[in-house]
Amino acid sequence: MKSNRKNLIVIVGPTASGKSALAVRLAKKFVGEVISADSRQVYRGLDIGTGKITRREMRGVRHHLLDVAEPQRQFSVAEFKERAQCAIRDINARGNIPFLVGGTAFWIDALVHGMRLPAVPPNTALRKRLGKKNARELFQILLRLDLARARTIERQNPRRLIRAIEIARTLGRVPAIKKRSPYRVFWIGLNPPKAILKKRIQARVDRMLRRGLVAETHSLIRNSVRKSRIQEFGFE
């Protein structure tokens, strides 16, 4: 029986492992388009600090899900999944190959494994209150609300903890995430030696500073992006 699942190539690896450059090379060779699965590169104005690929580096390859949201608000994994699914359909309709490149593991898992995520809208007031607490305090709150989710969550990730608390308060608990992949996935994993990664990351940071990382961060603040939000992006 012939499968209706579409092909999807996924390129994963740590920061500075060469994912973007490899994606462009393969997309040029096999007539593909790139979908970014980076949770910071979706935001406009975060170019230097996120290591966002430049027009020159794209070499004419079409890229999706870059610069699609304003940094003042949270772009959710559910939004990413919906937009990425649309991009994959459009790329396939043109007869091209979609390359998913990341980035953010949870976002990749949500898309690749077809996770059904709880439809709970953001609670701005709750997030503001919880944002003043550290990861340990947030974990204790989740522990009281949903012991099962507390056992599986990343305890040091405030963003995940806050979202779990938000869902648990709305639904009574965080429902189990259902998975069923709608794609035939070919995985490419990059994992250079630590010594090489360390040198590449240092070179990238130096390059960011020369290109104007400090000025970019000040520009975000001038455009009403809160300092706490900047810290979430890792620009502290």
Side-chain angles (χ1 to χ4, degrees):
M1 182 176 175
K2 188 176 180 180
S3 173
N4 290 321
R5 294 189 300 168
K6 300 296 184 182
N7 294 326
L8 176 65
I9 298 175
V10 183
I11 302 177
V12 295
T15 297
S17 57
K19 299 183 296 294
S20 296
L22 177 61
V24 168
R25 282 169 54 198
L26 293 177
K28 292 283 286 185
K29 184 176 179 64
F30 298 106
V31 192
E33 300 178 30
V34 174
I35 302 167
S36 171
D38 189 296
S39 61
R40 299 189 305 165
Q41 293 185 4
V42 294
Y43 296 108
R44 301 182 185 94
L46 274 71
D47 300 329
I48 299 170
T50 63
K52 194 177 294 178
I53 190 169
T54 65
R55 288 287 177 188
R56 182 178 179 181
E57 291 167 339
M58 290 178 187
R59 295 170 56 199
V61 172
R62 187 169 180 177
H63 280 61
H64 302 261
L65 284 174
L66 296 173
D67 301 322
V68 296
E70 297 299 334
Q72 290 87 348
R73 74 171 189 87
Q74 191 79 37
F75 188 85
S76 71
V77 63
E79 290 176 285
F80 163 77
K81 183 184 172 188
E82 182 180 355
R83 290 200 182 210
Q85 287 172 329
C86 288
I88 290 170
R89 285 195 296 269
D90 290 345
I91 293 168
N92 279 313
R94 287 190 286 276
N96 295 343
I97 299 173
F99 289 83
L100 181 69
V101 183
T104 305
F106 185 56
W107 283 24
I108 293 170
D109 285 346
L111 175 66
V112 169
H113 299 302
M115 290 182 180
R116 293 178 60 186
L117 303 165
V120 175
N123 183 329
T124 305
L126 176 63
R127 289 187 176 192
K128 188 174 181 179
R129 291 199 306 273
L130 294 176
K132 298 175 182 177
K133 300 182 183 296
N134 60 38
R136 185 177 179 278
E137 292 170 324
L138 292 169
F139 179 74
Q140 291 301 318
I141 294 171
L142 181 61
L143 202 60
R144 293 193 295 270
L145 290 171
D146 190 338
L147 178 60
R149 181 63 181 117
R151 285 173 174 163
T152 61
I153 201 167
E154 298 173 54
R155 296 189 181 194
Q156 302 304 319
N157 190 324
R159 191 182 309 173
R160 295 273 165 80
L161 288 162
I162 288 172
R163 179 57 178 164
I165 292 168
E166 192 174 53
I167 294 170
R169 282 173 59 100
T170 304
L171 303 180
R173 65 180 180 85
V174 181
I177 296 174
K178 298 179 180 179
K179 301 180 182 181
R180 185 180 181 278
S181 181
Y183 306 109
R184 287 193 304 268
V185 183
F186 181 77
W187 293 87
I188 300 174
L190 303 182
N191 190 25
K194 288 184 179 180
I196 292 176
L197 269 182
K198 186 176 180 180
K199 288 181 180 178
R200 288 182 182 176
I201 291 170
Q202 184 58 59
R204 176 177 286 191
V205 172
D206 292 343
R207 188 164 59 250
M208 286 177 176
L209 290 169
R210 289 196 303 271
R211 287 182 59 201
L213 174 60
V214 175
E216 180 178 270
T217 306
H218 283 304
S219 175
L220 291 169
I221 295 171
R222 286 196 301 273
N223 284 293
S224 303
V225 179
R226 301 186 314 276
K227 289 187 178 180
S228 60
R229 184 80 172 120
I230 298 234
Q231 289 177 338
E232 290 178 13
F233 295 137
F235 296 167
E236 65 274 15

